[in-house]
Amino acid sequence: MAYQVIRRGQITKREEDNRLTLERKLLVRWYGLELNRDKCIGCGICADQCPKEAIEHFPAEFKGIKALTRPSIDFDTEKCILCGECVSLCPLDALQMIIEKEEKVPVIEANVFATVTRKRW
Ligand code: SF4
Ligand code: SF4
């Protein structure tokens, strides 16, 4: 059996039952960021606003007018800092952050919500 070595503080990712979960286990705290794929419509707002460019957005693929895949997102665990900005921006409540069994959003808790956006429309 192959074992995976996880560094202290490293974020790991797992996908089950249409839920993608990032988690960071520290000695005294557990941080989790969860994406509910049933709620997510792949609008990409979170990907555009993530301050660390840690979210990759995959647009829908088409063959003619037939959609082959739905738009979706994925996270880069090496870039994500679990700030929670994406959670507070998702219009469909598809993202959730849990810190020690409580639903919390670090950027809201710390009152440091970023107002700068990368994209110009
Ligand atoms: S903002 Fe919400 S609905 Fe839109 S892609 Fe991100 S998680 Fe999905
Ligand atoms: S928690 Fe912060 S760094 Fe991680 S994906 Fe969301 S906005 Fe980006």
Side-chain angles (χ1 to χ4, degrees):
M1 181 191 285
Y3 292 96
Q4 188 195 359
V5 177
I6 297 172
R7 301 184 309 272
R8 191 164 65 167
Q10 181 183 346
I11 297 175
T12 56
K13 181 163 63 171
R14 68 187 145 82
E15 180 120 34
E16 55 192 4
D17 299 332
N18 247 3
R19 283 172 190 268
L20 173 61
T21 307
L22 266 60
E23 60 182 351
R24 172 182 275 154
K25 292 175 188 161
L26 297 174
L27 283 178
V28 291
R29 280 201 149 184
W30 183 91
Y31 291 81
L33 171 62
E34 187 176 272
L35 166 69
N36 182 333
R37 290 204 186 274
D38 290 331
K39 286 186 178 178
C40 175
I41 56 165
C43 65
I45 290 174
C46 55
D48 288 343
Q49 305 296 329
C50 170
K52 293 293 177 183
E53 301 186 19
I55 304 177
E56 192 171 0
H57 181 234
F58 302 96
E61 288 173 31
F62 288 88
K63 187 172 185 181
I65 56 165
K66 188 175 176 217
L68 300 176
T69 59
R70 291 177 57 192
S72 62
I73 58 162
D74 195 7
F75 296 93
D76 184 335
T77 56
E78 294 295 320
K79 291 181 177 173
C80 178
I81 54 168
L82 295 175
C83 65
E85 202 164 312
C86 53
V87 178
S88 45
L89 288 166
C90 175
L92 291 167
D93 209 15
L95 291 162
Q96 188 185 28
M97 254 199 99
I98 308 283
I99 302 174
E100 281 308 306
K101 298 182 185 167
E102 265 186 70
E103 206 173 327
K104 279 187 188 166
V105 181
V107 285
I108 301 291
E109 297 276 316
N111 200 21
V112 291
F113 196 88
T115 53
V116 179
T117 64
R118 256 197 332 274
K119 273 201 168 178
R120 286 200 203 159
W121 302 96

